[in-house]
């Protein structure tokens, strides 16, 4: 049995295939807000107050450590717990948190969708430019 010979590499790949994909940078504050919303889903006011107390304790403990001084996630999580607690306090008794009905979450999702559309348009434009550059290079 013979093994097939590898295909010879001829030339370079087209530039359009090498265009870097734009990636969204990591945002610890955004991650913190999403974690809080997931944990708070289905919680009533009492459970949210308990989680708020735990978040306050965590932020106090983290403030004592030098390496956590620039951490944005802890204070952001605390602020999100406070916002959810205020929202549930203003709601009728017995209301539980649901991120699908949260106006702040809806606004964030709309902004994310608009930003994704803009990034996709930029990527398509970059790919068109790269493809045109390849065509011009081939004609040269």
């Amino acid at each position: 049995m013979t093994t097939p010979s590898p295909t010879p590499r001829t030339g370079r790949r087209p530039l359009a295939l090498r265009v870097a994909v734009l990636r969204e940078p990591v945002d610890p504050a955004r991650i913190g807000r999403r974690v809080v919303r997931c944990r708070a889903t289905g919680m009533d006011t009492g459970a949210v107050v308990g989680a708020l107390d735990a978040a306050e304790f965590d932020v106090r403990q983290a403030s004592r450590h030098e390496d956590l001084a620039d951490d944005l996630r802890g204070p952001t999580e605390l602020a999100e717990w406070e916002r959810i607690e205020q929202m549930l306090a203003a709601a009728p008794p017995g209301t539980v948190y649901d991120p699908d009905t949260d106006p702040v979450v809806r606004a964030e999702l709309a902004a994310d969708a608009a930003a994704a559309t803009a990034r996709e348009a930029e990527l398509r434009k970059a790919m068109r430019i790269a493809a045109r550059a390849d065509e011009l290079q081939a004609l040269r």
Side-chain angles (χ1 to χ4, degrees):
M1 187 191 255
T2 62
T3 58
S5 62
T7 57
R9 296 191 88 155
T10 57
R12 296 178 2 181
R13 291 186 303 177
L15 184 61
L17 296 177
R18 292 190 314 247
V19 173
V21 176
L22 302 175
R23 293 178 54 179
E24 187 175 332
V26 174
D27 183 6
R30 182 181 200 168
I31 293 169
R33 285 191 299 272
R34 287 184 178 173
V35 167
V36 168
R37 291 171 187 157
C38 286
R39 284 189 53 211
T41 300
M43 286 186 174
D44 62 352
T45 306
V48 169
V49 168
L52 177 60
D53 291 340
E56 288 172 343
F57 177 77
D58 290 343
V59 169
R60 268 195 316 274
Q61 290 299 100
S63 70
R64 296 182 178 140
H65 297 280
E66 229 177 80
D67 59 329
L68 298 175
D70 294 332
D71 182 35
L72 296 176
R73 185 169 166 177
T76 303
E77 286 184 7
L78 177 62
E80 188 67 11
W81 280 117
E82 288 172 345
R83 186 188 70 78
I84 291 171
E85 191 266 332
Q86 290 172 358
M87 187 176 77
L88 288 178
T95 304
V96 295
Y97 179 73
D98 182 14
D100 295 334
T101 60
D102 189 344
V104 173
V105 175
R106 288 176 160 222
E108 259 185 33
L109 289 174
D112 290 347
T117 303
R119 280 192 308 272
E120 188 176 312
E122 286 181 32
L123 181 61
R124 277 195 307 258
K125 181 180 177 183
M127 290 182 77
R128 278 195 309 269
I129 290 171
R132 183 66 181 149
D134 284 347
E135 290 173 14
L136 291 174
Q137 185 67 27
L139 292 173
R140 189 172 160 218

